Amino acid sequence: MSSEKTEREPLFSPKYRKLITTPLGRENPITVQVLGICSALAVTAKLEPAFVMALSVMVVMGVGNVVIAALRNTIPPRIRIIVQLVVIAALVILVDQVLKAFAYDVSKQLSVFVGLIITNCIIMGRFEAFAMANKVWPSFLDGIGNAWGYGWILIVVAFFRELLGSGTIWGYGVIPQSWYIDNGGFYANNGMMILPPMALITVGVIIWVQRKRDTELIEEN
Amino acid sequence: MFTNRYIFIYSSVMVIIVAAILSTAAMVLKPYQERNIAIAKIQGILIAADIESTTENAETLFDQVILEELVIDQDGKVTGRYSKGQLTEGDDRAFDLNLKKELYNKRQGNPYKVPLYMAEADGEEIYIIPLLGTGLWGPIYGNIALKADKNTIYGAEFGNDKETPGLGAEISERNFALQFLGKTLFNQKGDFVSITVKKGGVETMPADNRIHGVDAISGGTITSDAVTKMLENCLGNYVAYFKSQL
């Protein structure tokens, strides 16, 4: 890696920086490429699991992209999908084991979701589309960028779902108890927000806002 | 071009390397994980006894609070007693019993043993019963503490591994467990009725049964029913013992 950077571009040249920034907006894996929707529905009922999920995906994607990029010339094209799957599965199991050993509380909250990372199509999509054809460093940046692009959508969706659905943020109550109808107030949590379909609608609203602001994203036909 | 031979060797080597990495990781991390699991078990028991603990002080607190650990067999007889760090009767320590295995034995109609913890709270004895059951996606578990009358619930705690967050997983929330306080397991005739987690809410139950019911979780009916089943299955194991004590 070090030899590459001396003869080529600096570590954070504009081109490399774009690898991180475009997935946050114009090439966002969730709102533009519409990948990884299944886990975005499942983990966003609460903010904390959404955050740890984003972090775990970032680890798996960063390391996975580096491994695949380093091996890219040795991987036989006929079994490349299998190789990618083995790398993802191994990393996910590793993340899960480490969480269980050193962050047991978090791992208990996340047990289902960590396993779900294996089926996250964004990861395999980036392996296949980017890491198989690029050097290690840009692949690493691309992995981190896409994980952030995925993560921030998750966190925004989870923020609204937890706030409107449970009246809490990160588990802390933010809606005053006296507002609730039970206590003689006028407010009730919207139970529908914690059901998966509302995640889809929230993502839809984000897509709408994004396309309103960036008209180039609107397809013509 | 890659030959078939290359592909075979490549995949074999890859699989062996991955297997080696994962089994090493599993072996290295196992002691930490087992310790975490044991501490989580202790913390669960302590929460049922209404004692907050941290990962660091859980074990010391447990030794202070738990006066005696009993092993109870299927006929309600005490076959093991452990207190103050010593086995005084039988040869199993209740804490080391594998509840999953014992409940399996029960299902198979074989002899089984269940653990019971005795502690002191507010000047009277309380009995803590560990629970284990099957939720919608994976195991659910918990602890119920009974007051000295062996009937009224003093404290409760539930946990789950794989229930749906925001729905079934809400059983792990403190508010769900707090509903159990003051409920009773036996009716006035002294028959075991357990506790029902009632879909639609306790108010839909007959008035004289409400003392044996709590509200279910909206959107988590299957998990709520699983809690009912777990309570009946696990608490039922102690009925013979409790009756022999009255």
Side-chain angles (χ1 to χ4, degrees), chain B residues 9 26 39 46 57 73 76 95 111 115-116 122 128 130 135 143 157-158 190 200 203 206-207 210 220 236 242-243:
Chain B
I9 295 174
I39 289 180
L46 288 176
N57 69 9
D73 72 2
F95 189 77
L116 179 67
D122 308 336
I128 305 165
N143 291 283
E157 175 269 337
F158 296 95
E203 59 264 39
R210 289 184 193 161
F242 287 155
K243 291 214 161 143

Side-chain angles (χ1 to χ4, degrees), chain A residues 82-125:
Chain A
I82 300 174
V83 175
Q84 291 162 9
L85 207 62
V86 169
V87 170
I88 299 174
L91 285 170
V92 169
I93 295 171
L94 222 51
V95 167
D96 189 30
Q97 296 280 331
V98 169
L99 285 179
K100 269 194 188 131
F102 299 111
Y104 190 70
D105 291 341
V106 182
S107 107
K108 249 171 105 178
Q109 288 185 326
L110 266 180
S111 48
V112 199
F113 311 134
V114 174
L116 277 177
I117 298 176
I118 297 180
T119 57
N120 192 322
C121 14
I122 299 171
I123 299 180
M124 207 131 143

Side-chain angles (χ1 to χ4, degrees), chain A residues 183-220:
Chain A
N183 303 332
F186 57 90
Y187 184 81
N189 287 326
N190 184 347
M192 205 159 96
M193 285 304 286
I194 58 176
L195 298 175
M198 283 313 287
L200 210 55
I201 292 173
T202 317
V203 171
V205 171
I206 296 177
I207 294 178
W208 175 24
V209 171
Q210 191 185 15
R211 295 192 178 206
K212 183 85 189 162
R213 294 180 51 175
D214 187 350
T215 43
E216 274 180 48
L217 286 172
I218 299 170
E219 299 92 347
E220 300 200 12

Side-chain angles (χ1 to χ4, degrees), chain B residues 100-121:
Chain B
K100 188 177 172 189
K101 218 165 88 187
E102 300 300 334
L103 292 175
Y104 175 79
N105 283 340
K106 181 186 178 185
R107 269 205 310 285
Q108 299 294 311
N110 295 330
Y112 60 92
K113 295 172 283 197
V114 285
L116 179 67
Y117 304 94
M118 283 160 85
E120 205 182 76

Side-chain angles (χ1 to χ4, degrees), chain A residues 147-161:
Chain A
W148 275 357
Y150 168 80
W152 83 260
I153 299 285
L154 237 61
I155 288 168
V156 169
V157 174
F159 175 82
F160 286 110
R161 286 183 71 192

Side-chain angles (χ1 to χ4, degrees), chain A residues 46 73-79 83 86 90 94 97 100-102 104 108 111-113 194, chain B residues 2 4 6-7 10 14 18 22 25 29 32-33 36-37 40 141 161-162 165-167 170:
Chain A
K46 288 272 162 72
N73 294 326
T74 69
I75 299 174
R78 266 189 284 169
I79 59 161
V83 175
V86 169
L94 222 51
Q97 296 280 331
K100 269 194 188 131
F102 299 111
Y104 190 70
K108 249 171 105 178
S111 48
V112 199
F113 311 134
I194 58 176
Chain B
F2 295 101
N4 282 349
Y6 177 87
I7 292 177
Y10 190 91
M14 174 184 72
V18 168
L22 290 185
L29 298 174
Y32 299 100
Q33 293 170 353
N36 285 335
I37 290 168
Y141 38 84
D161 283 347
K162 298 188 174 165
L167 304 177
E170 295 286 305

